[in-house]
Amino acid sequence: TTTTTTSTTKHLLHRILNIYILFNIFYGVAGREAVTPSDDVESLLKCETEAGVVVMPMVYTTARNNAPPCLIDTQRDLPKPNLPQPLYLRPNSSEYWLPNDEGYLEVPHGSSIELVCTGAFANVTGTSTGISQRTRIIRPRCIQGTTFSLNGDKYEFQQFLCTKSVKYTVERTAQTCANHTAQLYRVGYNVTTKGRFVETMHICHDDDELRTHYVRYTLVPGSVYFQPNVKRLSFSKAQHFSAYNMHQLYSQKNQRLKAAQLLNTEPEALAYALDAKSLYLSRGHLAAKADMIYATQQRTTYTFFNAAPQWQSFNGGQWATVENKVRAFVAKIKRSASCFTGTVGTMHLKSADANVRLPFYLAADANNNGLLPVPALYYRIIVMGDSAGIVLLGVNDPHATVSEILTEYVICQDVREQVPWLSWMRNVAGNLKPGYLYACRVDEFIKVVPALPVELGNVTELLL
């Protein structure tokens, strides 16, 4: 038995020595470039280590541990934003590999990132070792800088492309929300047929009223470094809303028609309330396009589930400021935040003499019940940790007076003066068309907006 064990040990040591010699020969030829061994070499070394054999130190191990990571600037080093990019994922997970706090996708030297296409990858090398047309998932390995290796070839990271855009989906889940009055949907990408779903947001939507109560997603410090110049898309029904022509309902022609019917007047008499410049209702994003980092994430925001009628003067005014300031705050304090963006109530449209104010909807059902309401308020909740948060609210009514806002639209105590980072939040009494903003405590807000998850009642501290 002793002789057999000794012989086996010598044989294993001989194999290891051969690997060591061959590797150092290759390393010498490669010069200063750090070389990562092939997967089969790593597997062999691991196997023999577990067998109790002392393994001689390998050059690549030191290089791999000490070499700097690959750093991909999300605003400069990714493929052009309107080319079909793959999903950038952590291997064997349902999570995007998000950038660090400085906006760099950071992959450790020698480690792999998982890239996913729903169709074939583009043939970027033209060599026989290129990516197979049947391949949908690849795992290139970091070499240095923005250079990766795959199947023996080297690639710049921005060379990895799909032959067609990755298609997102909106899935209705089995869960309800808003006290069981609405349905929970998830938005993202089906990576495999085995239930692996990469989510960008989930949405609480009332199918009967065509109202989205809220959209929930995560902001990270790197969100401020979102990929620029991603083309704006037409909003999609995402294989839902089959009974409605959503584009027609949001059209300015329909807005004028519904307003005229509501106030029992002619469309031409509504010039005081609606125009083609800024006094019209846009498809207002809830989760902002710029809240998402990669092009594939940004495109998932263009679904009607993630929109509500929003006055354009407010959309491009105070609400755009809210979105920008929240991202900047998250980046400044370098903490991730759970974000809820939603709507409350129904805005009332005034007659020309202001004697009549009626709830404004862009559609109606067969029984003349209002559908697709114009919200009275937009809100954004930011929660960090378990108990710190704040609600930022904006009035979606360019015709409201200060008196009407204070009596009808302020639904919780305004605490913005207590929060130093909200020093930018100012309202101009003489010009409220861009919107009126205020802030509230989260635990107080959900008392008047019960559609939100009950656990938000535990957020009792102000996010200062």
Side-chain angles (χ1 to χ4, degrees):
T1 303
T2 303
T3 303
T4 302
T5 302
T6 302
S7 175
T8 302
T9 302
K10 286 182 178 179
H11 178 66
L12 290 173
L13 287 172
H14 182 68
R15 291 174 63 194
I16 294 169
L17 182 60
N18 284 338
I19 293 170
Y20 179 75
I21 293 170
L22 288 171
F23 179 81
N24 279 281
I25 291 172
F26 181 71
Y27 185 82
V29 172
R32 296 175 61 187
E33 181 180 350
V35 178
T36 303
S38 62
D39 289 336
D40 56 336
V41 174
E42 287 187 306
S43 177
L44 175 63
L45 293 175
K46 180 180 179 182
C47 177
E48 292 178 342
T49 301
E50 291 174 349
V53 179
V54 178
V55 180
M56 298 178 69
M58 301 297 286
V59 176
Y60 84 86
T61 302
T62 302
R64 181 170 179 173
N65 289 340
N66 294 337
C70 288
L71 294 173
I72 296 97
D73 188 327
T74 57
Q75 297 190 321
R76 296 182 180 181
D77 298 331
L78 296 176
K80 292 182 179 180
N82 297 318
L83 292 175
Q85 297 177 13
L87 306 181
Y88 304 127
L89 307 180
R90 293 189 177 275
N92 299 316
S93 79
S94 296
E95 298 179 2
Y96 273 93
W97 196 318
L98 297 176
N100 61 22
D101 294 354
E102 286 71 45
Y104 289 91
L105 177 55
E106 182 175 341
V107 182
H109 176 79
S111 295
S112 297
I113 183 172
E114 188 168 282
L115 309 185
V116 178
C117 292
T118 49
F121 280 86
N123 184 358
V124 293
T125 63
T127 69
S128 59
T129 57
I131 304 168
S132 167
Q133 290 295 310
R134 295 188 298 273
T135 299
R136 299 293 180 265
I137 299 176
I138 60 174
R139 293 180 181 173
R141 189 189 300 271
C142 163
I143 298 178
Q144 62 182 7
T146 58
T147 305
F148 286 71
S149 65
L150 181 71
N151 298 334
D153 287 325
K154 290 183 180 179
Y155 298 80
E156 284 301 299
F157 192 76
Q158 62 183 204
Q159 288 181 276
F160 294 115
L161 290 169
C162 305
T163 52
K164 60 182 180 180
S165 295
V166 184
K167 301 296 184 183
Y168 75 89
T169 184
V170 179
E171 292 187 355
R172 181 185 172 114
T173 73
Q175 296 175 271
T176 60
C177 53
N179 294 317
H180 307 293
T181 64
Q183 199 71 30
L184 200 64
Y185 290 81
R186 63 179 185 174
V187 183
Y189 296 91
N190 276 309
V191 175
T192 67
T193 57
K194 298 179 180 179
R196 188 179 174 199
F197 190 87
V198 180
E199 183 177 290
T200 58
M201 68 189 92
H202 70 243
I203 296 175
C204 180
H205 181 79
D206 185 336
D207 298 334
D208 295 328
E209 197 182 13
L210 299 184
R211 177 197 290 275
T212 292
H213 289 291
Y214 62 82
V215 177
R216 183 176 184 175
Y217 55 101
T218 301
L219 287 172
V220 299
S223 295
V224 74
Y225 300 104
F226 58 87
Q227 189 173 4
N229 303 318
V230 176
K231 184 179 179 181
R232 296 179 63 86
L233 303 179
S234 176
F235 275 79
S236 169
K237 296 200 295 185
Q239 299 183 352
H240 298 277
F241 304 101
S242 58
Y244 306 98
N245 183 338
M246 298 300 290
H247 291 287
Q248 187 273 331
L249 294 182
Y250 271 98
S251 69
Q252 293 187 41
K253 180 179 179 180
N254 183 61
Q255 293 172 32
R256 290 190 294 271
L257 176 63
K258 293 302 179 184
Q261 292 173 347
L262 179 68
L263 299 176
N264 194 26
T265 187
E266 296 298 322
E268 294 76 15
L270 293 168
Y272 71 94
L274 291 156
D275 64 31
K277 295 180 179 179
S278 64
L279 289 179
Y280 65 89
L281 294 163
S282 62
R283 299 160 179 81
H285 272 88
L286 297 175
K289 171 176 175 278
D291 286 341
M292 305 294 170
I293 298 170
Y294 301 121
T296 54
Q297 293 175 297
Q298 292 181 34
R299 291 190 177 102
T300 67
T301 66
Y302 285 93
T303 168
F304 282 109
F305 284 99
N306 184 45
Q310 186 175 42
W311 290 95
Q312 180 57 30
S313 59
F314 175 48
N315 182 8
Q318 291 271 53
W319 193 247
T321 302
V322 168
E323 294 172 341
N324 292 333
K325 293 294 186 180
V326 167
R327 284 191 297 271
F329 174 71
V330 171
K332 181 179 179 180
I333 66 172
K334 298 186 183 302
R335 293 182 63 191
S336 296
S338 182
C339 187
F340 297 77
T341 303
T343 65
V344 178
T346 303
M347 173 247 177
H348 284 59
L349 191 64
K350 293 180 184 179
S351 61
D353 58 10
N355 290 329
V356 177
R357 297 178 70 246
L358 296 171
F360 192 15
Y361 296 86
L362 296 185
D365 64 15
N367 297 318
N368 206 33
N369 296 310
L371 304 176
L372 193 58
V374 178
L377 295 168
Y378 275 68
Y379 67 83
R380 174 158 295 190
I381 301 175
I382 312 143
V383 178
M384 292 185 176
D386 296 327
S387 59
I390 196 164
V391 190
L392 311 182
L393 297 101
V395 175
N396 187 41
D397 184 350
H399 308 296
T401 65
V402 173
S403 175
E404 289 168 343
I405 288 171
L406 295 178
T407 56
E408 299 176 29
Y409 288 104
V410 176
I411 60 174
C412 45
Q413 183 180 358
D414 187 357
V415 297
R416 60 194 153 113
E417 298 298 335
Q418 303 174 33
V419 183
W421 70 273
L422 295 182
S423 59
W424 53 268
M425 189 179 280
R426 293 288 180 265
N427 299 303
V428 180
N431 181 21
L432 295 177
K433 288 183 179 180
Y436 181 98
L437 302 178
Y438 64 103
C440 295
R441 304 180 72 94
V442 176
D443 56 335
E444 292 297 321
F445 180 67
I446 70 162
K447 292 177 182 177
V448 291
V449 185
L452 286 160
V454 294
E455 60 265 25
L456 288 175
N458 299 323
V459 182
T460 56
E461 300 174 22
L462 270 180
L463 185 59
L464 301 176

